[in-house]
Amino acid sequence: MYFILGVIIVVCIYLASIYNKLSGMMQNIKESYSNIQANLQKRQNLQEQIIDMAKEYANKEQITQIEIAKSNPQVANALSQSFPELKSNENFLHLSNQIQSLEDQINQKREKYNSDVNVYNSYRNSIPAVFIAQKFKFNIVDYFDISDNDFTSASIKFQRDDTVALNEMITSASKKISDKTVNAKNLINDKISEIKEKKE
């Protein structure tokens, strides 16, 4: 009976380690996601500064073109072609270089995010991790293969509260251990009683 109790305890520890690993991987994805979001927001702010700068050189008709250019990821290049005089503006050149640097960072962070997602999804779908993942709603995470705007507006939920499910699992495991312990004690007492009866 004690062997069974030992097995139950070992299984519980193993399942807890799977849960902790899934949580750690999800935390890595959350961090990568936040880094991309921060860079996308920073790029948007710089693009808005460039657009405001271009409006100083534009007439009413050209302002419409500038508004259209907002949706272009390469807004700096688009505006410099429409307004060649911007190329001689030091602030414009500085902002353009910052945007280009951010583009490189976003691409690197996108690769890391997708790598983290790949590692997590592969482990999450393996046996026995998939059973723990389903129990605690560790869902499959999508890759960053959509447009930047869609990624920015995507509602990826990283907030988790597994307290109830964990309590249920711990309570269930504790009950099983308690039941096995009681059964073991009863069995031992029965054996002792049998031995005493035989001696009498």
Side-chain angles (χ1 to χ4, degrees), residues 154-172:
S155 57
I156 298 179
K157 295 182 180 178
F158 291 107
Q159 298 299 326
R160 305 183 51 78
D161 186 3
D162 298 325
T163 308
V164 174
L166 279 171
N167 282 336
E168 287 177 358
M169 190 171 93
I170 291 169
T171 301
S172 175

Side-chain angles (χ1 to χ4, degrees), residues 99-143:
I99 289 174
Q100 185 55 53
S101 176
L102 272 175
E103 290 292 346
D104 295 337
Q105 291 178 38
I106 289 169
N107 286 333
Q108 290 173 4
K109 289 182 180 356
R110 179 190 283 118
E111 288 179 9
K112 183 182 184 309
Y113 174 85
N114 284 338
S115 175
D116 289 341
V117 169
N118 180 53
V119 170
Y120 164 80
N121 284 342
S122 297
Y123 180 73
R124 185 255 178 221
N125 289 330
S126 66
I127 295 174
V130 66
F131 303 116
I132 299 295
Q134 290 173 346
K135 171 71 175 174
F136 293 102
K137 296 186 171 74
F138 283 97
N139 299 321
I140 293 173
V141 178
D142 293 330
Y143 291 97

